[in-house]
PDB file of all heavy atoms in Angstrom:
ATOM      1  N   ILE W 498     -17.565  41.521  58.090  1.00 95.00           N
ATOM      2  CA  ILE W 498     -17.712  42.569  57.074  1.00 95.00           C
ATOM      3  C   ILE W 498     -16.503  42.448  56.141  1.00 95.00           C
ATOM      4  O   ILE W 498     -15.356  42.592  56.574  1.00 95.00           O
ATOM      5  CB  ILE W 498     -17.777  43.972  57.705  1.00 95.00           C
ATOM      6  CG1 ILE W 498     -18.931  44.028  58.714  1.00 95.00           C
ATOM      7  CG2 ILE W 498     -17.953  45.024  56.604  1.00 95.00           C
ATOM      8  CD1 ILE W 498     -19.040  45.349  59.455  1.00 95.00           C
ATOM      9  N   ILE W 499     -16.789  42.166  54.885  1.00 93.00           N
ATOM     10  CA  ILE W 499     -15.710  41.862  53.943  1.00 93.00           C
ATOM     11  C   ILE W 499     -15.502  43.008  52.960  1.00 93.00           C
ATOM     12  O   ILE W 499     -16.467  43.549  52.412  1.00 93.00           O
ATOM     13  CB  ILE W 499     -16.064  40.594  53.121  1.00 93.00           C
ATOM     14  CG1 ILE W 499     -16.419  39.432  54.037  1.00 93.00           C
ATOM     15  CG2 ILE W 499     -14.919  40.228  52.183  1.00 93.00           C
ATOM     16  CD1 ILE W 499     -15.304  38.968  54.924  1.00 93.00           C
ATOM     17  N   PHE W 500     -14.253  43.355  52.761  1.00 90.00           N
ATOM     18  CA  PHE W 500     -13.915  44.361  51.760  1.00 90.00           C
ATOM     19  C   PHE W 500     -13.136  43.696  50.631  1.00 90.00           C
ATOM     20  O   PHE W 500     -12.367  42.769  50.871  1.00 90.00           O
ATOM     21  CB  PHE W 500     -13.069  45.470  52.392  1.00 90.00           C
ATOM     22  CG  PHE W 500     -13.861  46.341  53.311  1.00 90.00           C
ATOM     23  CD1 PHE W 500     -14.064  45.965  54.635  1.00 90.00           C
ATOM     24  CD2 PHE W 500     -14.420  47.521  52.848  1.00 90.00           C
ATOM     25  CE1 PHE W 500     -14.824  46.750  55.484  1.00 90.00           C
ATOM     26  CE2 PHE W 500     -15.181  48.310  53.697  1.00 90.00           C
ATOM     27  CZ  PHE W 500     -15.380  47.937  55.015  1.00 90.00           C
ATOM     28  N   PRO W 501     -13.350  44.190  49.435  1.00 84.00           N
ATOM     29  CA  PRO W 501     -12.633  43.554  48.319  1.00 84.00           C
ATOM     30  C   PRO W 501     -11.163  43.941  48.365  1.00 84.00           C
ATOM     31  O   PRO W 501     -10.831  45.107  48.544  1.00 84.00           O
ATOM     32  CB  PRO W 501     -13.302  44.135  47.080  1.00 84.00           C
ATOM     33  CG  PRO W 501     -13.878  45.426  47.508  1.00 84.00           C
ATOM     34  CD  PRO W 501     -14.178  45.304  48.972  1.00 84.00           C
ATOM     35  N   LEU W 502     -10.347  42.957  48.260  1.00 72.00           N
ATOM     36  CA  LEU W 502      -8.930  43.227  48.106  1.00 72.00           C
ATOM     37  C   LEU W 502      -8.496  42.227  47.055  1.00 72.00           C
ATOM     38  O   LEU W 502      -8.163  41.093  47.353  1.00 72.00           O
ATOM     39  CB  LEU W 502      -8.183  43.004  49.415  1.00 72.00           C
ATOM     40  CG  LEU W 502      -6.774  43.573  49.447  1.00 72.00           C
ATOM     41  CD1 LEU W 502      -6.799  45.083  49.488  1.00 72.00           C
ATOM     42  CD2 LEU W 502      -6.002  43.038  50.621  1.00 72.00           C
ATOM     43  N   ILE W 503      -8.599  42.695  45.848  1.00 55.00           N
ATOM     44  CA  ILE W 503      -8.389  41.770  44.750  1.00 55.00           C
ATOM     45  C   ILE W 503      -6.911  41.403  44.691  1.00 55.00           C
ATOM     46  O   ILE W 503      -6.537  40.239  44.623  1.00 55.00           O
ATOM     47  CB  ILE W 503      -8.856  42.381  43.412  1.00 55.00           C
ATOM     48  CG1 ILE W 503     -10.237  42.999  43.548  1.00 55.00           C
ATOM     49  CG2 ILE W 503      -8.837  41.346  42.305  1.00 55.00           C
ATOM     50  CD1 ILE W 503     -11.347  42.091  44.023  1.00 55.00           C
ATOM     51  N   GLU W 504      -6.080  42.438  44.742  1.00 60.00           N
ATOM     52  CA  GLU W 504      -4.635  42.221  44.759  1.00 60.00           C
ATOM     53  C   GLU W 504      -4.144  42.631  46.141  1.00 60.00           C
ATOM     54  O   GLU W 504      -4.410  43.737  46.574  1.00 60.00           O
ATOM     55  CB  GLU W 504      -3.956  43.125  43.724  1.00 60.00           C
ATOM     56  CG  GLU W 504      -4.232  42.754  42.291  1.00 60.00           C
ATOM     57  CD  GLU W 504      -3.431  41.547  41.853  1.00 60.00           C
ATOM     58  OE1 GLU W 504      -2.354  41.299  42.450  1.00 60.00           O
ATOM     59  OE2 GLU W 504      -3.887  40.854  40.940  1.00 60.00           O
ATOM     60  N   GLU W 505      -3.395  41.756  46.766  1.00 57.00           N
ATOM     61  CA  GLU W 505      -2.883  42.108  48.093  1.00 57.00           C
ATOM     62  C   GLU W 505      -2.058  43.394  48.022  1.00 57.00           C
ATOM     63  O   GLU W 505      -1.952  44.139  48.983  1.00 57.00           O
ATOM     64  CB  GLU W 505      -2.007  40.979  48.649  1.00 57.00           C
ATOM     65  CG  GLU W 505      -2.775  39.712  48.991  1.00 57.00           C
ATOM     66  CD  GLU W 505      -3.734  39.877  50.170  1.00 57.00           C
ATOM     67  OE1 GLU W 505      -3.719  40.936  50.806  1.00 57.00           O
ATOM     68  OE2 GLU W 505      -4.507  38.941  50.434  1.00 57.00           O
ATOM     69  N   SER W 506      -1.478  43.657  46.858  1.00 61.00           N
ATOM     70  CA  SER W 506      -0.573  44.796  46.757  1.00 61.00           C
ATOM     71  C   SER W 506      -1.305  46.070  46.332  1.00 61.00           C
ATOM     72  O   SER W 506      -0.727  47.140  46.297  1.00 61.00           O
ATOM     73  CB  SER W 506       0.513  44.477  45.737  1.00 61.00           C
ATOM     74  OG  SER W 506      -0.102  44.158  44.509  1.00 61.00           O
ATOM     75  N   ASP W 507      -2.563  45.931  46.020  1.00 68.00           N
ATOM     76  CA  ASP W 507      -3.268  47.093  45.493  1.00 68.00           C
ATOM     77  C   ASP W 507      -3.481  48.158  46.576  1.00 68.00           C
ATOM     78  O   ASP W 507      -4.192  47.960  47.553  1.00 68.00           O
ATOM     79  CB  ASP W 507      -4.615  46.662  44.919  1.00 68.00           C
ATOM     80  CG  ASP W 507      -5.253  47.760  44.089  1.00 68.00           C
ATOM     81  OD1 ASP W 507      -5.232  48.933  44.508  1.00 68.00           O
ATOM     82  OD2 ASP W 507      -5.775  47.433  43.019  1.00 68.00           O
ATOM     83  N   LYS W 508      -2.844  49.312  46.343  1.00 73.00           N
ATOM     84  CA  LYS W 508      -2.851  50.350  47.353  1.00 73.00           C
ATOM     85  C   LYS W 508      -4.264  50.894  47.586  1.00 73.00           C
ATOM     86  O   LYS W 508      -4.694  51.096  48.725  1.00 73.00           O
ATOM     87  CB  LYS W 508      -1.920  51.477  46.895  1.00 73.00           C
ATOM     88  CG  LYS W 508      -1.479  52.400  47.997  1.00 73.00           C
ATOM     89  CD  LYS W 508      -0.183  53.107  47.625  1.00 73.00           C
ATOM     90  CE  LYS W 508      -0.012  54.383  48.443  1.00 73.00           C
ATOM     91  NZ  LYS W 508      -0.691  55.551  47.893  1.00 73.00           N
ATOM     92  N   LEU W 509      -4.974  51.105  46.503  1.00 73.00           N
ATOM     93  CA  LEU W 509      -6.321  51.665  46.620  1.00 73.00           C
ATOM     94  C   LEU W 509      -7.248  50.752  47.418  1.00 73.00           C
ATOM     95  O   LEU W 509      -7.969  51.194  48.301  1.00 73.00           O
ATOM     96  CB  LEU W 509      -6.916  51.877  45.230  1.00 73.00           C
ATOM     97  CG  LEU W 509      -6.592  53.213  44.575  1.00 73.00           C
ATOM     98  CD1 LEU W 509      -7.240  53.290  43.205  1.00 73.00           C
ATOM     99  CD2 LEU W 509      -7.060  54.366  45.465  1.00 73.00           C
ATOM    100  N   ASP W 510      -7.191  49.474  47.076  1.00 73.00           N
ATOM    101  CA  ASP W 510      -8.010  48.504  47.788  1.00 73.00           C
ATOM    102  C   ASP W 510      -7.680  48.525  49.271  1.00 73.00           C
ATOM    103  O   ASP W 510      -8.550  48.444  50.130  1.00 73.00           O
ATOM    104  CB  ASP W 510      -7.749  47.087  47.259  1.00 73.00           C
ATOM    105  CG  ASP W 510      -8.513  46.826  45.966  1.00 73.00           C
ATOM    106  OD1 ASP W 510      -9.325  47.688  45.607  1.00 73.00           O
ATOM    107  OD2 ASP W 510      -8.280  45.784  45.352  1.00 73.00           O
TER     108      ASP W 510
END
Side-chain angles (χ1 to χ4, degrees):
I498 303 177
I499 307 297
F500 289 84
L502 194 71
I503 312 303
E504 290 283 335
E505 292 293 353
S506 57
D507 193 317
K508 199 157 159 275
L509 273 180
D510 280 352

